[in-house]
Amino acid sequence: MIPGSKNRPPVIGITGNYGDKGCELAQGYYQSVLKAGGVPVVLPPHDDAGALSATLDGLDGLLLSGGGDINPLLLGEQPLPRLGHICPQRDAMELRLVREAYERQVPVLGICRGIQVLAAALGGSVYQDLGSQYHDKPLVKHCQDLDRAYASHAVHIEEGSVLGDIFKGQVTINVNSFHHQAVRLPGSRLRVSARSSDGVAEAVESTEYKSILGVQWHPECFILTGDESMMPLFRWLTSEASSFAEAKRVHGRTLTLDSHCDTPMFLDKGLTPGMFANGSDMVLVDLPKMKAGMLDATIMVAYLEQGPRDEESLLAATAKADRLITSIGELAAANSAEVSLACTPADLHRLKQEGRKAVMVGIENGYAIGRDLQLLEHFRNRGVVYMTLCHNGDNDICDSARGYGEHGGVSRFGAQVIAEMNRLGMMADLSHASEQSFYDALDISTQPIVCSHSSCRALCDHPRNLTDEQMRALARKGGVAQVTLYHGFLRQDAEATILDAVEHLNHAVRVMGVEHVGIGTDFDGDGGIRGIGSAAEVINFTRRLLAARYSEQEIGLIWGGNFLRVMEKVQDV
């Protein structure tokens, strides 16, 4: 449970400098946070990784303060003659802190040295010394003796940037930069959002819909003199931190379930239970990412590519499904202190109370059972909660959205499959099915059906997506459609982002009602878009839902409540 009430001020951690007496901090930083409505907490420099992680648990936002130069050795460079004073007590800590804050979606504002730390930590690079390294144009005087309460030069704000929104569309603002280092390249995760007249980067912000912003100047120095022109920066930080804090509180009180991920595909490609426990760049869903995103549960599917349907191939498909289900169980068993298999909604709620993550098992593609109806009971006894009737190709059960219409919808055998799934308490999943297969299944099934990872065809004309009429028919029968995060199912004319996913969900809600929608990410299949690229980022979706005025109760329905209602009904046989 996340402590605190909805209206408590956000807690902002401020990195401390290092001086003669140890940790120290100029008062402008914490006074500005207080004035903006936040609660400042000073973070002393240290190298205890466990303590840093624990500190982030209690923070809603992070402010990186100014200070000495960054040690270039940490960035794979040799020091230049004009490198200034470095602070080894801060460097390693702050680089680690930024990377973990970025992974957890913690809002960050970097000031002066702080913007350089952001770039250095997130794949960019830094000029050690502008005077000797920057040769594009004659420099304005970035480093001078003017009182810091006064502006030294102007910067131009990029159109369409978060910084521009913060300053209400102003094209230029006057700032007080005091530095000889600067961001050289922002890297792929950040973009430059303001420059001085000589082209030097004066502000950067996230390219991935995260609340991350860095400025080269010292806004806190203006505020100490009563000049409030820079207060919008601190109000932005506290507002983003408040949104993040509220999302954390919602996740603390809500069972969050992703109805479809393909992570087991990587168990055949070298992913080990230890890698899952400690985090791996190989996958989008692992234990650290689930913790970072506050995702409680996921349904991992045994995915089977549609192949030949001779007896030997069908036996091989069944064997592969069995092997993957065994591997999912071994993954959970090896990490039983923190994760467990679950078979029912009650299991999920119990595991959340215990503070453990949950994994359910599904099968993607009825190819797994071939033509053997008895295999359904075998897989149900192994804990399978749903089976996607087909994938990208017709099988013996039904026609696929990417098939050739072999059966004209659900086959006779497929009708028996659906009836047997109803009897066994296994959900029928119609993602990937053709429209006729979809409508046939609705008519045949005595239980609600699900579409575990399908988006809206009205917004993206793809045969895998559901038409409005399909969604209405699904809702009338009590089923659910789970918006998925594959870019090709969200938009076809440009890169899809979290904004597109929210719009698909909003459209599904308008068509079906909020009681019939949810989220099936398809992570580690084709899912993952800017803004919600892994399990670590699912809390970003909740922030977007809160901003769109969804209530906590409605968010609970979307993040698994609707899907689990259907599961409970289907299992109550």
Side-chain angles (χ1 to χ4, degrees), residues 307-343:
R309 285 149 60 189
D310 57 88
E311 289 303 318
E312 184 178 355
S313 298
L314 293 176
L315 288 171
T318 302
K320 182 177 181 180
D322 265 321
R323 184 176 71 251
L324 286 170
I325 292 170
T326 297
S327 296
I328 295 169
E330 291 171 347
L331 186 77
N335 298 290
S336 58
E338 296 189 273
V339 65
S340 176
L341 286 180
C343 297

Side-chain angles (χ1 to χ4, degrees), residues 2 103-106 243-252 256 289 291-295 498 531-532 534-546 559:
I2 302 298
E103 184 76 4
R104 294 191 189 199
Q105 324 307 304
V106 178
S243 167
F244 180 58
E246 178 60 10
K248 288 193 295 181
R249 284 191 286 271
V250 169
H251 276 241
T256 52
K289 293 183 183 72
K291 290 178 180 178
M294 298 185 72
L295 177 65
I498 190 171
I532 181 167
S534 74
E537 299 181 4
V538 298
I539 201 166
N540 270 355
F541 204 88
T542 301
R543 289 186 63 190
R544 294 284 171 176
L545 295 178
L546 288 167
W559 263 128

